[in-house]
Amino acid sequence: MAVVVVTDSSASLPAELIGELGIRVVPLHVLVGDREIREGIDEVAIDYAAETVTTSAPSPGELRDAYVEALTRSGGDGVVAVHLSRQLSATWEAGRQAVRDMDATESVLLVDSLGAGLATGFPVLAAARCAAAGGALTEVYEAAVRAASSSHTFFVVNRTEQLRRGGRLSTAAGFFGSELVSKPVLQLVQGRLELRDKVRTRSKAFAKLVAAAAEAAGAGTAAIGVQHLDAAEAAESVTTQLRERIPQAGEILTAEFGPALAVHLGFGAVGVLVLPGGCG
């Protein structure tokens, strides 16, 4: 058999890659009033700007069930579970509780991706490809950790109120001034969202986004991820610019943000992930 990789639905990976690599995905939850929606499973229209819409992590029980299933499928080779940043979600902590409940600390290894969206997805890919190549449990774990610690993630959002309301943006970023005349460029630093820059127009914000990604890629090969929420044209433009600025880029994935991230990022958000060296 082979090591099985588990992640959460924030990873935003294409269904064909998930199926091809046998990745187990556990849905995050979006709470709309008194309804609980499982991301990627329950289809329902969501008003992402509504103050009554929130998100929640999978329960330890949900994660335990996924880990048990994956461990069985691995034939005892083990499980590597890669989840979105513990600074942004309670998912990793729920996973740790699940592993304790299973008494499986040596056979189910947890990785904090230090990111969200494709910033989680790329470490998942690195781990799953290592597993597919016959990697042992520790090798698969180390592949995920290396990818997580090497990645760079940048976002442009229209407004920061949803991030601040949800507690995902440091209060140290409170010097934005009027958001009517500035567009923030954010970055993930050790799993936390921080302000990188602010400019007056979206076009300048996207230029900063592309420049930051090109700098992060360096001179070697790199995997690139582009995500957006209701901003397909902007994401396509950013992708085209990235291809020009980073001609050595290998794999380029594009995806929409899922509902659990969309609640916090808001319409018009565009994110770029750069992983120097690629996903294995």
Side-chain angles (χ1 to χ4, degrees):
M1 304 297 284
V3 174
V4 174
V5 176
V6 177
T7 190
D8 54 75
S9 56
S10 82
S12 307
L13 290 172
E16 57 268 25
L17 282 177
I18 291 171
E20 174 190 333
L21 294 167
I23 299 165
R24 175 68 159 86
V25 180
V26 181
L28 300 177
H29 298 242
V30 179
L31 310 179
V32 182
D34 58 357
R35 297 189 61 185
E36 186 170 295
I37 298 161
R38 295 167 298 172
E39 183 173 54
I41 297 176
D42 303 319
E43 297 296 329
V44 64
I46 300 172
D47 178 3
Y48 294 120
E51 293 190 14
T52 55
V53 178
T54 58
T55 58
S56 70
S59 69
E62 289 175 278
L63 291 167
R64 182 179 64 246
D65 290 347
Y67 298 163
V68 168
E69 176 190 329
L71 190 57
T72 300
R73 182 152 56 90
S74 79
D77 284 350
V79 172
V80 172
V82 185
H83 293 300
L84 76 166
S85 168
R86 74 181 85 175
Q87 304 290 346
L88 302 175
S89 168
T91 302
W92 187 91
E93 186 59 44
R96 184 166 69 167
Q97 183 60 55
V99 172
R100 287 173 176 167
D101 292 346
M102 294 169 61
D103 192 22
T105 55
E106 295 184 358
S107 55
V108 181
L109 304 183
L110 290 182
V111 177
D112 180 347
S113 72
L114 304 176
L118 286 174
T120 298
F122 276 14
V124 171
L125 276 185
R129 286 171 176 164
C130 180
L137 182 61
T138 54
E139 293 173 317
V140 176
Y141 170 81
E142 288 166 1
V145 171
R146 281 195 303 271
S149 61
S150 301
S151 66
H152 305 266
T153 308
F154 311 98
F155 297 96
V156 169
V157 296
N158 276 333
R159 300 182 65 84
T160 60
E161 173 163 351
Q162 285 164 261
L163 284 168
R164 288 188 287 197
R165 188 171 66 212
R168 266 69 180 185
L169 188 61
S170 168
T171 55
F175 63 90
F176 278 105
S178 172
E179 293 188 301
L180 296 177
V181 295
S182 65
K183 296 298 179 187
V185 180
L186 307 175
Q187 62 184 350
L188 280 168
V189 178
Q190 291 299 305
R192 292 181 181 273
L193 262 179
E194 296 185 359
L195 176 68
R196 179 182 176 89
D197 211 337
K198 61 177 182 176
V199 294
R200 292 186 177 274
T201 66
R202 273 176 71 81
S203 62
K204 290 182 178 179
F206 289 138
K208 292 280 189 181
L209 189 72
V210 170
E215 179 184 353
T221 186
I224 306 293
V226 179
Q227 283 188 270
H228 71 93
L229 179 62
D230 197 32
E233 186 175 333
E236 183 177 353
S237 174
V238 166
T239 302
T240 298
Q241 293 176 63
L242 289 169
R243 290 183 188 277
E244 294 172 353
R245 292 285 299 273
I246 314 174
Q248 76 278 15
E251 188 169 22
I252 299 181
L253 293 183
T254 60
E256 282 202 71
F257 288 112
L261 295 180
V263 168
H264 300 289
L265 293 171
F267 286 112
V270 176
V272 174
L273 163 72
V274 178
L275 178 56
C279 301

